[in-house]
């Protein structure tokens, strides 16, 4: 029921309010496993992509969003499960990271679209950071194409530290699919993973035009 409401009500309503500029929809395969690899500027990125993509897109989300109690917890679970197509994962350790990739692999092998942010965490300064190689491992293991995605404007909708979204126009660009057929089966090769990841990030950069940061984006440590 919530999926139907999302398709028939929420998507049209969000598009009417925010009037997103959407480019390159023809590049997203309508069937089969595919990775949508995007830059990451705001928490609302995981809302913008599913609402503008031409098919359901699944993301991984922190398990805490699914374990809350009371009305707030119930709403959170409903939104992340049925509206955002999110899959709960534990985070913080190597083992949990490996389990997350396995869950993403299952989504792709089931012929679905999976969204991922190769930078790992949101860019707080607007620059595009170096990609981590999980996206390459998935592409080479599942044998699926990667569609680069560039977002502009989500950070203006929900700036860091704010809880209430603002009405701002966003731009979503879907690039031509990247195929790595010649490297399929080489997911264990660090060189192959790095090559694929760098190609994906170069495609995202070509779409976004962001300033490049020659470093990985790390989660800020608490003081």
């Amino acid at each position: 029921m919530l999926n139907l409401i999302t398709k028939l009500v929420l998507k049209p309503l969000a598009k009417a309010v925010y009037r997103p500029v959407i480019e390159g929809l023809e590049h997203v395969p309508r069937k089969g496993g595919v990775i949508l690899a995007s830059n990451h500027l705001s928490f609302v990125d995981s809302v913008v992509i599913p609402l503008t993509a031409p098919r359901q897109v699944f993301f991984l989300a922190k398990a805490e969003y699914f374990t809350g109690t009371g009305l707030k917890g119930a709403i959170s679970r409903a939104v992340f499960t049925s509206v955002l197509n999110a899959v709960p994962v534990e985070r913080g350790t190597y083992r949990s990271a490996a389990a997350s990739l396995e869950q993403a692999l299952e989504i792709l092998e089931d012929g679905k679209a999976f969204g991922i942010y190769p930078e790992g965490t949101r860019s707080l300064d607007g620059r595009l950071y170096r990609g981590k190689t999980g996206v390459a491992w998935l592409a080479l293991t599942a044998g699926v194409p990667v569609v680069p995605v560039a977002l502009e404007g989500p950070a203006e909708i929900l700036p860091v530290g704010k809880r209430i979204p603002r009405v701002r126009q966003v731009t979503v660009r879907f690039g031509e699919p990247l195929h790595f057929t010649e490297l399929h089966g080489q997911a264990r090769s660090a060189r192959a993973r790095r090559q694929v990841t760098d190609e994906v990030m170069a495609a995202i950069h070509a779409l976004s035009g962001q300033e490049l940061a020659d470093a990985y984006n790390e989660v800020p440590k608490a003081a």
Side-chain angles (χ1 to χ4, degrees):
M1 178 62 72
L2 283 176
N3 283 330
L4 185 62
I5 292 174
T6 298
K7 181 178 180 179
L8 299 181
V9 179
L10 293 184
K11 275 194 173 186
L13 179 61
K15 289 180 179 180
V17 173
Y18 288 96
R19 296 190 298 171
V21 176
I22 309 172
E23 302 173 3
L25 282 179
E26 70 276 9
H27 296 315
V28 182
R30 298 309 195 263
K31 297 188 297 183
V34 62
I35 298 170
L36 302 186
S38 176
N39 59 340
H40 197 12
L41 300 170
S42 170
F43 174 81
V44 299
D45 295 347
S46 296
V47 178
V48 172
I49 293 175
L51 290 178
T52 57
R55 58 183 290 188
Q56 279 190 317
V57 182
F58 292 80
F59 283 88
L60 300 182
K62 293 187 295 185
E64 297 92 287
Y65 293 132
F66 301 83
T67 57
T69 59
L71 179 60
K72 183 177 180 181
I75 293 175
S76 178
R77 281 191 298 276
V79 169
F80 278 88
T81 301
S82 299
V83 178
L84 303 183
N85 302 310
V87 178
V89 296
E90 298 290 342
R91 295 186 177 181
T93 67
Y94 174 81
R95 180 175 295 180
S96 62
S100 297
L101 287 177
E102 290 294 339
Q103 286 182 280
L105 182 60
E106 290 180 8
I107 292 171
L108 293 169
E109 290 179 337
D110 198 31
K112 298 174 181 177
F114 177 71
I116 190 171
Y117 305 112
E119 293 172 275
T121 190
R122 288 173 289 172
S123 172
L124 299 181
D125 59 14
R127 294 187 296 168
L128 185 67
Y129 285 80
R130 199 175 190 205
K132 298 181 180 180
T133 60
V135 62
W137 184 88
L138 287 172
L140 298 181
T141 303
V144 298
V146 180
V147 173
V149 182
L151 304 175
E152 288 184 14
E156 298 299 319
I157 294 178
L158 193 65
V160 175
K162 301 295 183 180
R163 294 186 177 183
I164 301 177
R166 302 182 298 186
V167 177
R168 297 290 188 276
Q169 190 174 63
V170 297
T171 297
V172 185
R173 299 189 183 95
F174 297 96
E176 295 185 10
L178 303 175
H179 298 272
F180 303 100
T181 307
E182 72 284 359
L183 295 174
H184 288 173
Q186 298 187 40
R188 293 186 177 183
S189 167
R191 178 176 296 181
R193 294 197 305 271
R194 186 73 262 163
Q195 177 184 332
V196 169
T197 302
D198 288 346
E199 287 187 33
V200 170
M201 297 309 296
I204 294 174
H205 176 247
L207 292 171
S208 71
Q210 291 169 269
E211 179 184 347
L212 292 174
D214 189 22
Y216 292 107
N217 192 13
E218 304 295 342
V219 177
K221 295 181 180 180

